[in-house]
Amino acid sequence: MARHNSLSQRRATLEKEWARWVPARIASAGIDSSHLRGEVAQSWMRSRRTVDPGLNCAPAAAGDVGARWAASPLRAPMSELSDHVHAITHDSGFVAAVTDEDGTILWSHGGAVMRRRAERVGFAPGGRWDEIHMGTNALSLTLRTGRPSIVFAAEHLVAALHEWVCYCAPIRGADGRQLGVLDLSTTWDRSHPLAMPTVRTLATAIEAKLHQHERPASGPRLTCLGGAELVRGDERIPLRRRHFEILTLLALEPDGFTPERLQLAIYGDRSPAASTVKADVSHLRRTAVGDITSRTYRLATPLSCDAADVLAALGAGDIATAVRLYRGPLLPGSQTPGIVEWREYLKVGVRTAVLASDDPALALRYGEKALEDSEIHEHAFLLLPAADARRAIATARLRAALRS
């Protein structure tokens, strides 16, 4: 009974917190939702669950944004186009910005006056402009849809942005993956019909430069967190689930496996004939990764792998990078013993590091992939100051987790 009362009290507290941050109706922000464009209205409905329309400034991302920009594939093409971008921003009174794939601004430029105005609302490196943090805006729409977007004045959910108009286009790598967003923003009274064609042309120029800088793929890239995909250059390599499992194990354990140990890691106690594993490895040699050594099954050339990158980040104590790269459980749905063991290891490793950190941004980001984890959401909630608008996100998630 005591536990039930405690849970009821926590829920009551969360309901009060929820009511404090989330408006009862979209109309409370002063806009008739019937006049909104469909995609904007839908974004408002999603955004109002986590974003306070009275927010004054975009929340800041965790970690060293300068270092992330230095390592970004978008930095080189933007540097080559900088004179062109600078001419546009200074001559037309715009502020330009480039985000990463998660909506964090990594670079911005504009004249002194417009830049200061933009910085006041967090439209500067480090600001998080995805929908869950900053509500309806052109960057968040483009991040979500992968299409160019315009959001004008009071179409923004956050009232502090009602004097702005934003024009965005996606930036994609050679493999088609969206790497970020290019944005041109100005005040609504400076809006111009050529702004949208300009931002789209610039994004196309960035992509062309980007493709020139991208080296031809010397080896495939394995994605095994939250899904399974093997890509070499522009080509997606089809594999059976068993082959993905073997490849993932080899990527996570570069010292390799004896044939007997790999057979046990794949099949457990129900091991079939050793020839089955040998046939699977032979198939991988022919179709996917080239040379796999024989006496000990080991990748002769290191394989780029998202799970291995998370493991390396944890080993280096770089929690922010580990959280950013951790996109979900390892090969979800696989019951292979070795994969199950690594899946738990990676999940516990990232989760434990987040709970040990006093950075609420890490808990919020990890919480995006662990919506049922009430302890993570409570950790973020307790770390955030009462006046921090991001508390709405933690409140919403904790409320949902406790109800599930």
Side-chain angles (χ1 to χ4, degrees):
M1 181 63 73
R3 183 180 181 279
H4 177 76
N5 290 338
S6 175
L7 184 59
S8 298
Q9 290 170 357
R10 289 178 69 193
R11 285 178 174 169
T13 300
L14 284 167
E15 292 294 340
K16 291 179 181 179
E17 187 75 19
W18 177 254
R20 186 167 82 87
W21 285 108
V22 181
R25 301 182 306 277
I26 287 180
S28 66
I31 297 180
D32 180 355
S33 63
S34 65
H35 295 162
L36 293 174
R37 289 181 285 136
E39 65 177 356
V40 173
Q42 291 168 16
S43 176
W44 272 51
M45 294 300 294
R46 293 189 300 266
S47 301
R48 71 192 189 105
R49 299 175 186 142
T50 58
V51 179
D52 175 18
L55 189 66
N56 292 322
C57 182
D64 185 347
V65 174
R68 287 166 61 181
W69 177 237
S72 171
L74 302 180
R75 183 174 181 270
M78 284 305 302
S79 296
E80 293 184 28
L81 294 168
S82 61
D83 289 345
H84 188 46
V85 175
H86 293 179
I88 292 172
T89 57
H90 283 278
D91 294 346
S92 306
F94 278 77
V95 178
V98 172
T99 77
D100 64 9
E101 60 188 350
D102 296 321
T104 297
I105 294 178
L106 300 181
W107 174 91
S108 68
H109 183 82
V113 174
M114 291 301 293
R115 190 173 66 249
R116 284 196 296 270
R117 295 181 71 170
E119 287 171 351
R120 285 198 288 268
V121 293
F123 193 78
R128 297 204 65 178
W129 284 77
D130 54 321
E131 192 174 80
I132 200 168
H133 290 95
M134 202 55 180
T136 305
N137 62 83
L139 297 97
S140 67
L141 284 181
T142 294
L143 285 166
R144 185 177 183 88
T145 66
R147 301 191 302 269
S149 301
I150 304 173
V151 172
F152 188 88
E155 287 185 324
H156 292 93
L157 178 77
V158 173
L161 305 179
H162 285 183
E163 65 177 19
W164 291 89
V165 57
C166 304
Y167 307 84
C168 287
I171 304 172
R172 294 187 175 88
D175 61 358
R177 182 170 65 91
Q178 186 167 329
L179 302 177
V181 169
L182 174 67
D183 178 283
L184 288 177
S185 291
T186 189
T187 52
W188 66 267
D189 55 317
R190 291 174 178 262
S191 62
H192 196 283
L194 292 179
M196 193 70 241
T198 298
V199 78
R200 296 180 72 166
T201 299
L202 276 174
T204 299
I206 293 168
E207 290 176 347
K209 295 285 186 183
L210 178 67
H211 300 171
Q212 292 174 10
H213 284 276
E214 289 178 343
R215 294 176 298 176
S218 58
R221 168 72 178 174
L222 173 64
T223 298
C224 49
L225 293 174
E229 185 177 58
L230 184 67
V231 175
R232 181 190 288 114
D234 296 332
E235 177 192 6
R236 182 177 180 274
I237 302 172
L239 292 177
R240 292 169 48 206
R241 185 182 70 179
R242 180 68 72 223
H243 296 143
F244 272 115
E245 292 167 342
I246 293 173
L247 205 53
T248 297
L249 290 172
L250 293 175
L252 285 169
E253 300 196 36
D255 290 338
F257 293 77
T258 64
E260 296 77 17
R261 181 167 170 256
L262 182 60
Q263 183 168 308
L264 187 63
I266 293 295
Y267 294 102
D269 295 334
R270 56 185 182 84
S271 293
S275 58
T276 302
V277 172
K278 184 177 181 180
D280 285 331
V281 171
S282 296
H283 179 85
L284 286 172
R285 287 194 184 105
R286 292 193 307 273
T287 63
V289 295
D291 193 18
I292 299 175
T293 58
S294 297
R295 291 189 178 181
T296 297
Y297 290 141
R298 182 174 61 246
L299 295 169
T301 302
L303 175 68
S304 176
C305 171
D306 57 351
D309 292 342
V310 169
L311 192 63
L314 287 174
D318 187 354
I319 306 172
T321 296
V323 171
R324 177 170 60 84
L325 295 177
Y326 185 78
R327 298 183 178 277
L330 184 73
L331 295 182
S334 171
Q335 297 304 312
T336 293
I339 294 297
V340 171
E341 183 177 349
W342 269 110
R343 180 190 299 147
E344 187 67 11
Y345 182 90
L346 289 166
K347 175 184 174 182
V348 170
V350 176
R351 185 178 185 273
T352 301
V354 169
L355 289 173
S357 170
D358 59 2
D359 185 348
L362 295 178
L364 287 170
R365 186 157 193 169
Y366 179 76
E368 295 172 6
K369 303 125 180 160
L371 295 176
E372 77 292 345
D373 195 330
S374 61
E375 187 177 359
I376 286 289
H377 307 320
E378 186 170 26
H379 182 60
F381 179 85
L382 293 174
L383 288 175
L384 289 164
D388 194 316
R390 293 175 297 172
R391 213 173 195 200
I393 300 170
T395 300
R397 292 174 181 168
L398 180 53
R399 181 172 176 259
L402 290 174
R403 285 182 168 180
S404 62

